[in-house]
Amino acid sequence: MRSSPRRAVRGLLALSLAAAALTATGTASPAVASPGSGPTAVVSMGDSYISGEAGRWQGNSLTTSGSRNGTDRAWTGSTYDPGRVYGTTAANGCHRSDSAEVRSATGIASALINLACSGATTQNVFRAANGGLSYKGEAPQADQLAPIAASHDVELIVLSIGGNDLGFADIVTKCATDYIIWYSYCHDDQQQVVDAKIDGVMAQVGKSVDEIRAVMTAAGYAASDYRIVLQSYPSPIPRAAENRYAESGWSRTDTGGCPFWNRDSDWARDSLVPQIANRLKGVAAAKGVQFMDLRDMLQGREVCAKASKQVSSAVPASATTSEWARWIDQNETQGPLQENMHPNYYGQLALGRCLSLIHARPSGDHSCRNTAGTGASGMYLTTVS
């Protein structure tokens, strides 16, 4: 295969360094690999929405035993082993699944590397030398990126971050609690919380991009040698009009796993998620990176969506009919709470297709959406102006 100009230049640099060492010492020194001269790589960084959280689940089923009607990929036939899906990160909770976005994006690079960790904030991305913090026993993600940048030809880095800084999990908990216990709305007071935080959070997201760039520059990359894609978040719940369960009664809680009032659902789907997406798009523009808008990625595939179905003994798990997001399992009858409200196995395959598509688009901002009645192959991009 023909070498890229970047590899050729770095190869010459490596030879020059080796020659200099020979001249100075009279003996050949061990060759040092030039940055970016190794196998091509795509790297994912950030939080649970890209780490692969909830990749254990193929749809949602009310059955709490066995394979849960085939939805639980951790079922061994006799017990549950989350390591079958999350590997060694089942233990520390980073939950990098085998179906995570970067793992599902086939044919785009020799190495598909997932550094993201469920629960991570922007400070877990920054380099330790610049305020970064270790998380769940792992070094800051930018510091983990450094050796990868040196040993691989990193072509693209995709980043999902900011949701935990905004307290997205707390918002979900508050809204569900207001529905189940307090019979009150959450959108009013939670909008105030978001508005008070969002400027500071977006500044931290911008710093995350700067930190990634600093690592790549230190590894010898020019800005034109690689791309960064900053992505937004999909809504895991549908609009009120698209919910298959009535607002009254307990069906949304006990059957659907989507305990939210209509007004709160509409706020989350049509106000909160777009607000975050639009602000992330602004950060991407300010930092000169690409933006992938995922706000509509789960449209019709959300938890409780009319266009999708729960899995049962009569309705098998399917990428074309099942929900693509994990429901709220408030009693933890099927796995830990941290999996709730994340794209599941099917959703992650779809995200992987989105990544493959934007990998082939070297410029511009794009929105990734699904085609009703199809699996991941039906994902498509539209240009975002």
Side-chain angles (χ1 to χ4, degrees), residues 6 10 36 41-43 45 145 149 152-158 208-229 287-290 359 361-363:
R6 180 168 80 244
R10 287 177 177 155
V42 172
V43 181
M45 301 177 67
L145 175 64
H152 292 73
D153 183 7
V154 177
E155 299 179 335
L156 186 146
I157 299 163
V158 57
S208 297
V209 174
D210 292 341
E211 290 290 291
I212 291 169
R213 285 222 184 275
V215 168
M216 299 300 286
T217 298
Y221 290 74
S224 59
D225 289 339
Y226 67 99
R227 287 187 285 149
I228 297 175
V229 173
K287 295 299 178 180
V289 303
Q290 282 185 280
H359 179 268
R361 304 280 186 94
S363 62

Side-chain angles (χ1 to χ4, degrees), residues 8 46 65 90 95 117 158 160 184 211 225 241 245 269 295-296 308 366 377-378:
S65 60
H95 283 188
C117 184
V158 57
S160 169
S184 61
E211 290 290 291
D225 289 339
Y245 300 102
R269 178 64 181 82
R295 74 182 76 186
D296 297 317
S308 297
H366 303 278
S377 63

Side-chain angles (χ1 to χ4, degrees), residues 22 54 77 93 126 169-170 227 328 333 384:
L22 179 60
F126 306 161
D170 292 336
R227 287 187 285 149
I328 290 184
T333 59
V384 175

Side-chain angles (χ1 to χ4, degrees), residues 49-68:
Y49 270 74
I50 200 168
S51 73
E53 184 67 86
R56 174 178 174 175
W57 304 96
Q58 300 180 126
N60 300 306
S61 170
L62 292 170
T63 301
T64 60
S65 60
S67 69
R68 281 93 182 219

Side-chain angles (χ1 to χ4, degrees), residues 125-317:
V125 173
F126 306 161
R127 294 167 295 168
N130 206 19
L133 300 175
S134 298
Y135 186 59
K136 295 185 176 178
E138 298 186 359
Q141 292 176 35
D143 290 332
Q144 294 182 56
L145 175 64
I148 295 167
S151 61
H152 292 73
D153 183 7
V154 177
E155 299 179 335
L156 186 146
I157 299 163
V158 57
L159 174 66
S160 169
I161 202 68
N164 292 316
D165 297 72
L166 279 172
F168 192 77
D170 292 336
I171 293 172
V172 170
T173 300
K174 181 66 165 60
C175 290
T177 302
D178 282 355
Y179 180 87
I180 297 170
I181 298 176
W182 302 115
Y183 301 97
S184 61
Y185 295 123
C186 73
H187 65 270
D188 44 5
D189 57 330
Q190 291 306 297
Q191 184 63 64
Q192 294 177 21
V193 170
V194 171
D195 289 344
K197 289 182 176 181
I198 198 161
D199 287 347
V201 170
M202 292 303 144
Q204 294 288 84
V205 173
K207 181 179 176 181
S208 297
V209 174
D210 292 341
E211 290 290 291
I212 291 169
R213 285 222 184 275
V215 168
M216 299 300 286
T217 298
Y221 290 74
S224 59
D225 289 339
Y226 67 99
R227 287 187 285 149
I228 297 175
V229 173
L230 178 64
Q231 66 183 41
S232 67
Y233 298 90
S235 173
I237 59 173
R239 299 176 178 90
E242 297 165 352
N243 195 311
R244 64 177 178 264
Y245 300 102
E247 182 179 36
S248 60
W250 291 98
S251 59
R252 286 191 181 178
T253 302
D254 295 339
T255 305
C258 57
F260 305 103
W261 295 110
N262 284 344
R263 289 181 64 180
D264 290 339
S265 298
D266 287 344
W267 166 72
R269 178 64 181 82
D270 291 327
S271 181
L272 177 62
V273 169
Q275 178 185 14
I276 296 171
N278 291 336
R279 292 299 301 271
L280 288 170
K281 181 176 183 291
V283 172
K287 295 299 178 180
V289 303
Q290 282 185 280
F291 174 64
M292 184 159 65
D293 193 340
L294 299 177
R295 74 182 76 186
D296 297 317
M297 177 257 165
L298 292 174
Q299 176 61 38
R301 315 303 186 102
E302 307 100 331
V303 177
C304 297
K306 287 180 179 178
S308 297
K309 301 176 182 178
Q310 281 187 351
V311 179
S312 68
S313 58
V315 181

Side-chain angles (χ1 to χ4, degrees), residues 99-110:
S99 59
E101 181 177 322
V102 73
R103 294 286 301 279
S104 297
T106 58
I108 61 174
S110 299

Side-chain angles (χ1 to χ4, degrees), residues 16-39:
S16 298
L17 291 173
L22 179 60
T23 301
T25 64
T27 58
S29 299
V32 178
S34 59
S37 63

